[in-house]
Each structure stands twice: as structure tokens, then as C-alpha cells.
Amino acid sequence: MKLKLGIPKGSLENATVDLFRRAGFNITTSSRSYFPAIDDPDIECMLIRAQEMARYVEDGILDAGLTGLDWVEEVGASVVAVADLIYAKQSFGKVRWVLAVPESSSFQSVKDLNGKIVATELVATTKRYLERNGVSAKVEFSWGATEVKPPVLADAIVEVTETGSSLRANKLRIVETVLESNTQLIANKESWADEWKRQKLEDLKLLLQGAINALGKVGLMLNVHRDRLDAVLDVLPALKRPTVSHLSDGEWLAVNTILDESTARLIIPRLKQAGGEGIVEYPLNKIVM
């Protein structure tokens, strides 16, 4: 038996492959194949566009897949949300679908778009959003380069953004947020009901979330004389509490902790001043809570 797993092709592909690597799985992709190799004999991978993933999972062509919550909602797929995986192609966070208009336009809210044209790739969701707000506007599917369409080809757009930099570069301003989204591991309902597949997915969820928890974190270990322990602990932030253990020499202790990688360079010199010795910083692949 194998678990048929969909890997998102496109903007999330590299981030997903890297996340799996951190979780302990090596996925090898090829520009000439839609079937990446993975070093787990129980998993069979297929590259699928995120926009289509939920439909193939719902239909049982795939047992599970990674795609955005936005695309699950867009197609109204009936699938099991196994895990929220808060990562994206740049910031490893959530993304937003926003209503944006030209900087020079007079539009201040969605209410101003009655009778106007809105271009987007997220057509069904945008239509529901306009309906909720009592707005009657024409929603056109955009095949790409959506940011360049206003004001000539559309009055407004609904587009996905992480930082807003692309919108600003195209002289657009954000009016409202239509939808927040993040990557999800989703499963086919029948596959989720299968004991073996469910356990495989639960294991995968644990490892992927552990890899996400470790992003931006490093481990730090050092030795300290017991007389200087309090001074060292005063310097250290910690995920929970530092681990302190005895060494063979009863006067010395080992301290082990986890901290943000960005603060390590500030803390290490202070630890040395506080009496820390043999300080080692090491990378982390997973933190399993």
C-alpha cells in the first residue's frame, strides 16, 4: 500500500520540498517529470498545481496533498483538513487575498465597486465576497499578470500578497482583505478513514509541524561552573526552560536551550562574559512539541 501525495507545483514547490527535507524526507523533482522521487517507499508523489489539488484529493485520485486554504474554499472541496502548515514561498507565514485599486482612483471601499469590473484568479471566492457586501460587479478570470490590469482592463483586482511589495510596485493600494490563507495538508475522506493511511498522515503532520517549529531557531549548549549558573541563566531566553545537567566534575554543569537564530549573535558574547565555556551553536531541523 502507498500513500498518494500531491506536492504543489509552482510558487510553493521549492518551499514545500525544503520543508519536507527539514522533516526528514528527500524529494527529488525533475523539470521533465510530474512524479518526484521521495526516499519513503510508502509514499508516491505527484506534482499538481495548488489550484487543482483540492479537487483531485476530493475525488480520491490523491490520498492527500498540500495546497492553500484559499483553493480549498474556492472550489468548495469536501476534504479533511489534517494540518495547518503556516508557511509560504517567502515569509513562511500566512498570505492575504486583497482587494486592490489604482493609487489614483477614488475607490475607498468595496461598496464603491457597484457596476465595475474586478479581475482575479479567485473568481468564486470574490463573487461570494462581493455578494456578502451587497455589491453587484463583473468578476473576470485573470490568467496572470493581474496587477497590470487596472485601470485599463479592470477597475480593481483581488490578488494574493505576502508583503504587498508587488502591488506597491504597480502603483496599487490595498482597500480590504478578502481572505487570509495558509498552506494545509488535506486528505481524502475515505483515505482518512483507512487506518494505515491515517496513521501515515498523522506521522507526516507531526514531522512537518516539527520542521516548521524549528524554522529560525537554533540550539545552544555550554558548560558553566555552578557558581556562575544564575548569571548564565539570566542571559538566556528559552523556548520553555533551559535544560541543566550535571557533568562528571560535580562543580560544573551543562546548559542546553533553544533560541531564535537572530538573537544568538547577541547572546553568545554575553554568555561568555557571564562565565559560559565551550559554547556551541547548532542548527535544528525539527522541534516536536
Side-chain angles (χ1 to χ4, degrees):
M1 185 180 293
K2 285 182 179 285
L3 183 79
K4 293 176 290 184
L5 179 67
I7 303 296
K9 181 173 177 58
S11 60
L12 274 176
E13 184 177 337
N14 290 338
T16 301
V17 170
D18 184 63
L19 180 65
F20 269 75
R21 180 187 59 77
R22 289 172 174 269
F25 301 90
N26 288 315
I27 296 177
T28 305
T29 60
S30 167
S31 60
R32 291 176 292 182
S33 174
Y34 282 84
F35 297 93
I38 185 170
D39 62 347
D40 184 327
D42 293 333
I43 299 177
E44 184 179 280
C45 292
M46 185 175 183
L47 281 174
I48 298 288
R49 287 184 61 82
Q51 294 92 324
E52 301 176 294
M53 188 75 72
R55 179 164 56 90
Y56 289 125
V57 171
E58 180 182 28
D59 292 345
I61 296 169
L62 297 169
D63 294 308
L66 287 86
T67 189
L69 172 61
D70 44 6
W71 297 113
V72 177
E73 294 196 3
E74 173 71 2
V75 301
S78 179
V79 294
V80 178
V82 178
D84 280 314
L85 304 174
I86 311 297
Y87 78 111
K89 61 182 178 180
Q90 292 178 14
S91 64
F92 287 87
K94 290 191 174 185
V95 298
R96 293 186 299 153
W97 285 87
V98 298
L99 176 66
V101 299
E103 290 176 350
S104 58
S105 77
S106 61
F107 304 130
Q108 297 301 318
S109 80
V110 64
K111 304 290 187 183
D112 298 327
L113 293 175
N114 261 312
K116 304 300 182 182
I117 297 174
V118 181
T120 184
E121 194 177 353
L122 205 69
V123 172
T125 302
T126 299
K127 286 181 176 178
R128 290 192 292 265
Y129 163 73
L130 293 172
E131 187 178 339
R132 286 196 307 270
N133 284 279
V135 174
S136 177
K138 183 179 180 181
V139 180
E140 293 185 343
F141 178 75
S142 174
W143 291 94
T146 308
E147 297 99 327
V148 304
K149 294 191 173 177
V152 178
L153 301 177
D155 298 291
I157 64 171
V158 171
E159 179 67 338
V160 66
T161 182
E162 288 189 55
T163 64
S165 58
S166 180
L167 295 172
R168 290 191 295 272
N170 286 281
K171 294 182 169 50
L172 298 173
R173 58 180 167 84
I174 295 172
V175 176
E176 294 178 12
T177 297
V178 175
L179 175 71
E180 270 199 350
S181 179
N182 57 266
T183 305
Q184 286 190 328
L185 174 62
I186 60 172
N188 173 269
K189 288 185 174 181
E190 291 185 10
S191 299
W192 186 247
D194 180 277
E195 184 178 354
W196 182 87
K197 291 181 179 179
R198 182 167 185 162
Q199 185 60 60
K200 190 69 180 177
L201 286 166
E202 291 280 15
D203 292 347
L204 189 58
K205 169 186 174 179
L206 180 75
L207 295 169
L208 290 173
Q209 289 184 328
I212 289 173
N213 292 338
L215 288 169
K217 299 282 195 302
V218 294
L220 202 68
M221 59 183 180
L222 58 97
N223 297 332
V224 61
H225 193 277
R226 62 172 57 251
D227 292 342
R228 305 299 299 273
L229 178 62
D230 288 342
V232 163
L233 294 182
D234 284 344
V235 174
L236 282 176
L239 189 64
K240 291 184 178 176
R241 290 178 179 270
T243 299
V244 180
S245 54
H246 291 276
L247 298 177
S248 56
D249 183 336
E251 293 299 307
W252 286 82
L253 302 164
V255 177
N256 204 324
T257 192
I258 294 169
L259 68 160
D260 291 332
E261 185 176 12
S262 59
T263 64
R265 65 183 183 186
L266 304 175
I267 289 173
I268 289 174
R270 304 290 82 79
L271 289 172
K272 183 66 176 175
Q273 291 172 353
E277 297 187 12
I279 302 170
V280 177
E281 176 187 332
Y282 54 93
L284 300 172
N285 281 332
K286 290 180 281 295
I287 300 174
V288 178
M289 303 296 195

